[in-house]
Amino acid sequence: MASSTGPGPYVTPKEQDVRPGAVDDYVNSHLQTPASNKYHNALEHIREKSIAAGLPDIACSAAQAKYLAIQVKIAKAKNILELGTLGGFSAAWMASAGPDVKVTTVELEEHNANVASKNIAEAGLQNQIDIQRGAGLGVLPKLVAEVKAGQRPEFDFIFIDADKQNNLAYLNLALPASRSGTVVIVDNVVRQGRIAYPDEAAKDERISATRNLIETIGKDERLDATVIQTVGEKSYDGFLFAIKK
Ligand SMILES: C[S@@+](CC[C@H](N)C(=O)[O-])C[C@H]1O[C@@H](n2cnc3c(N)ncnc32)[C@H](O)[C@@H]1O
């Protein structure tokens, strides 16, 4: 139920809780194994190779990337759109969900796209991943026009993980190129709980844009959505999950 008084001031936790990272380490040691995924060895090294190439350490965690891949399998998705490639970690994970899964991933930074291209080729997934270079707002209308023209299949899975200010614009551009049942996942929608606090939103455009995204989706009859909060090695954050009706 919505509160009329709001949540009050945001309180930064005094200490970093080490337990979620310990749990990630523990479960990954059992569940992220060569037997579980034929690309395991390559996937395991993409994040460290990206960091060595100078990219920021902002890819999703290994557990989250595997979770995305499992969602791709559950949805039986074959044509994935990703906004925000970075070093190709999440794209490679999603492509590893099956040999007939295709990922079209959009990246603004040339260097990031080059690193991703190398990582993806070294993983042997280059035939399944198409890196589109440029700003999402420039590239996406072209991709959507190609879908409308029958030159590429509709997107059945959309992962939005680029510049957070444009989350809603990406959703609105991509949705007409999707179908009933298309899954939409947006990363980083909780931001250590700051999303619930209007004062925090006033200080950070990424948070105000994400609040706008959540509030707009709530009124959008095309979608049914929820937010799942996450903890782990990437601290306290969350995914927005939506399905196109
Ligand atoms: C959080 S990282 C993506 C992480 C990646 N999805 C993963 O988990 O492995 C965000 C990426 O979006 C890219 N980006 C930022 N603004 C963009 C824009 N306007 N269009 C396309 N990509 C953008 C950044 O350069 C960065 O590589």
Side-chain angles (χ1 to χ4, degrees):
M1 197 189 300
S3 155
S4 56
T5 54
Y10 179 75
V11 178
T12 309
K14 284 201 180 62
E15 289 171 16
Q16 188 67 38
D17 188 345
V18 296
R19 293 172 298 173
V23 171
D24 262 354
D25 287 346
Y26 164 67
V27 297
N28 287 346
S29 73
H30 289 280
L31 303 178
Q32 303 254 0
T33 61
S36 68
N37 186 315
K38 72 173 183 168
Y39 296 101
H40 169 83
N41 290 337
L43 293 168
E44 201 180 38
H45 293 114
I46 287 180
R47 281 192 311 167
E48 67 199 42
K49 286 197 289 188
S50 300
I51 292 165
L55 272 52
D57 185 12
I58 54 172
C60 49
S61 73
Q64 289 169 342
K66 185 170 188 183
Y67 183 70
L68 289 174
I70 290 172
Q71 291 296 324
V72 169
K73 289 185 191 179
I74 291 170
K76 298 187 170 48
K78 302 291 176 229
N79 297 292
I80 299 172
L81 170 67
E82 177 182 66
L83 276 306
T85 314
L86 193 66
F89 185 61
S90 52
W93 259 107
M94 292 189 286
S96 81
D100 49 357
V101 173
K102 299 273 190 246
V103 180
T104 302
T105 179
V106 183
E107 175 55 50
L108 174 67
E109 300 293 341
E110 194 64 20
H111 177 59
N112 297 3
N114 290 340
V115 172
S117 178
K118 188 163 179 282
N119 286 339
I120 287 164
E122 284 171 3
L125 285 159
Q126 66 278 10
N127 295 334
Q128 289 178 243
I129 301 176
D130 168 22
I131 302 174
Q132 295 274 331
R133 294 160 189 257
L137 291 183
V139 172
L140 199 43
K142 182 183 72 109
L143 298 177
V144 171
E146 288 173 8
V147 172
K148 298 273 183 204
Q151 292 160 354
R152 63 166 65 233
E154 287 177 321
F155 299 117
D156 49 17
F157 197 100
I158 299 168
F159 179 47
I160 302 178
D161 189 21
D163 49 332
K164 311 303 172 183
Q165 295 85 334
N166 283 318
N167 279 347
L168 183 58
Y170 295 144
L171 179 70
N172 281 327
L173 281 168
L175 268 188
S178 67
R179 60 163 172 78
S180 175
T182 287
V183 174
V184 180
I185 300 184
V186 185
D187 199 9
N188 308 121
V189 300
V190 172
R191 296 206 167 260
Q192 302 193 299
R194 294 170 68 209
I195 190 71
Y197 295 81
D199 288 355
E200 294 299 304
K203 292 184 222 156
D204 187 333
E205 203 193 334
R206 296 168 304 176
I207 295 177
S208 56
T210 303
R211 284 173 65 94
N212 186 34
L213 174 80
I214 290 168
E215 292 165 26
T216 306
I217 288 177
K219 297 180 207 112
D220 190 330
E221 293 189 349
R222 297 171 298 178
L223 294 166
D224 194 13
T226 189
V227 165
I228 294 297
Q229 302 181 65
T230 57
V231 293
E233 63 182 75
K234 302 300 283 195
S235 186
Y236 169 31
D237 213 322
F239 285 126
L240 180 138
F241 286 89
I243 187 160
K244 190 172 177 194
K245 293 180 194 166

